[in-house]
Amino acid sequence: MTRKLSIIGMPMDLGQMRRGVDMGPSAIRYAGINERLKPLFDEIHDLGDIPIGRPEVAIDEESNLRNLDLVAEKNTLLCEKVDEAIQAGAFPLVLGGDHSIAIGTLAGVAKHYKNLGVIWYDAHGDLNTAETSPSGNIHGMPLAVSIGLGHKLLTDIGGYSLKVKPEHVVIIGARSLDEGERILIKEKGIKVYTMHEIDRLGMAKVMEETIAYLKDKTDGVHLSLDLDGLDPSECPGVGTPVMGGISYRESHLAMEMLEEAKLITSAEFVEVNPILDEKNKTASVAVGLMGSLFGEKLL
Ligand SMILES: NC(=[NH2+])NCCC[C@H](N)C(=O)O
Ligand SMILES: [Mn+2]
Ligand SMILES: [Mn+2]
């Protein structure tokens, strides 16, 4: 079987308020994604960027669902592209862009699986709805949307709601959760490895457990990796940094263990903001992690 990768850039910055995250896909390409992944695939198709454009409408300053219409419209385009890539037999790799793009990615991916699993590698839960969000920023909502909670314009992208069942979600790296998110996690029984568990168990054990948890009950697993899951000392180029994050080494180990388990069927790397970065360090970390995820070996 030929191993095909489709790279899709999603220069979205409408899901939050910091400018610059729209340049994430460029920064990741500049960090050498194509050259790095080339030896690991038979074919790589860089499909370019989804056109976001500079919106003519004024940015919503006062809203509990900032830029709702545009975020929904652009995610619909992403959904279609991801769907097409999978139909063409490729592994879809989406480059963000703020984390609101997970709404479109998952809408495109989940069509192809009966029981899609999701690994949400993030400092945050991204489980807010308009009612619980402290900011109104949609990048704090994509996981809620994907389990069917939130505005219809977002939950129904792709023509169906409930992309992922809550019991098929594992959050790794959480250290900043809002009140409503905590309630939802308990209510829905979502599996979460906070930094406390990562410290206590070690990343190897966390990944062993995650893989065992998802392996038998899912028929595909999407990795949604927010670079702010890592520590800001190693990934400073993110809009919502939180101290005390997952280390670079732990993250490579996590990616290597996922590759050994042959578990991941789609992925996205999000929240890279080169304006806030130091010499493109965060984009370089992202590309390195992709190397590990796709089977790069030292020896
Ligand atoms: N994808 C992210 N970086 N999300 C940050 C979300 C922060 C906060 N929980 C909010 O809802 O606004
Ligand atoms: Mn985050
Ligand atoms: Mn996130």
Side-chain angles (χ1 to χ4, degrees):
M1 209 179 86
T2 48
R3 242 193 133 193
K4 282 202 265 182
L5 178 74
S6 284
I7 298 173
I8 302 165
M10 183 63 171
M12 164 73 91
D13 63 352
L14 301 164
Q16 47 82 64
M17 302 282 269
R18 313 273 307 251
R19 308 321 301 267
V21 70
D22 58 314
M23 291 184 267
S26 307
I28 295 171
R29 287 196 183 88
Y30 187 80
I33 184 176
N34 274 287
E35 302 75 63
R36 188 86 179 246
L37 301 185
K38 205 171 177 170
L40 307 173
F41 288 90
D42 300 312
E43 283 175 35
I44 296 185
H45 301 275
D46 189 336
L47 305 179
D49 289 349
I50 304 286
I52 302 293
R54 290 299 92 218
E56 288 115 59
V57 292
I59 296 288
D60 261 335
E61 298 274 333
E62 290 293 318
S63 167
N64 54 1
L65 278 167
R66 218 184 294 286
N67 308 316
L68 171 64
D69 291 336
L70 281 167
V71 170
E73 179 191 320
K74 305 303 177 189
N75 269 306
T76 305
L77 299 177
L78 177 61
C79 164
E80 286 159 7
K81 261 275 177 311
V82 169
D83 185 9
E84 277 167 33
I86 298 175
Q87 280 181 44
F91 181 110
L93 172 62
V94 182
L95 315 179
D98 72 59
H99 216 161
S100 69
I101 70 171
I103 296 170
T105 305
L106 280 167
V109 170
K111 283 185 185 177
H112 299 269
Y113 302 92
K114 255 201 149 97
N115 286 296
L116 183 70
V118 170
I119 295 178
W120 201 267
Y121 203 91
D122 200 326
H124 308 95
D126 295 343
L127 280 165
N128 277 305
T129 59
E131 291 69 41
T132 64
S133 171
S135 62
N137 293 330
I138 297 178
H139 81 153
M141 311 181 187
L143 189 51
V145 167
S146 302
I147 61 170
L149 302 171
H151 198 285
K152 242 183 148 5
L153 270 180
L154 300 172
T155 56
D156 291 7
I157 288 177
Y160 65 111
S161 178
L162 191 79
K163 276 67 183 184
V164 188
K165 295 176 186 138
E167 61 270 29
H168 294 164
V169 174
V170 181
I171 299 174
I172 297 175
R175 55 194 182 278
S176 171
L177 295 170
D178 300 314
E179 190 50 33
E181 297 185 300
R182 275 189 217 115
I183 294 171
L184 197 63
I185 285 169
K186 290 197 183 122
E187 205 181 275
K188 301 279 179 190
I190 296 173
K191 194 156 189 70
V192 184
Y193 291 97
T194 67
M195 289 313 299
H196 176 84
E197 278 85 40
I198 298 174
D199 290 342
R200 261 199 118 107
L201 303 172
M203 185 54 97
K205 182 84 178 135
V206 167
M207 292 316 296
E208 266 169 36
E209 288 187 11
T210 297
I211 291 162
Y213 180 78
L214 291 175
K215 209 172 181 95
D216 295 328
K217 56 179 169 184
T218 60
D219 49 357
V221 177
H222 174 71
L223 171 67
S224 196
L225 192 147
D226 184 331
L227 272 298
D228 73 28
L230 281 86
D231 193 78
S233 62
E234 286 165 325
C235 287
V238 297
T240 48
V242 189
M243 274 177 71
I246 309 171
S247 76
Y248 172 83
R249 286 285 357 130
E250 288 168 326
S251 298
H252 272 284
L253 177 63
M255 298 302 115
E256 287 157 3
M257 290 180 73
L258 289 176
E259 129 73 26
E260 277 167 28
K262 304 278 177 247
L263 193 69
I264 302 299
T265 44
S266 55
E268 67 201 330
F269 286 73
V270 306
E271 296 282 343
V272 173
N273 185 332
I275 297 278
L276 304 171
D277 207 1
E278 293 160 13
K279 294 187 178 158
N280 221 28
K281 191 170 163 183
T282 306
S284 303
V285 170
V287 170
L289 293 177
M290 291 170 196
S292 291
L293 178 66
F294 294 122
E296 198 175 87
K297 294 278 178 324
L298 189 57
L299 286 171

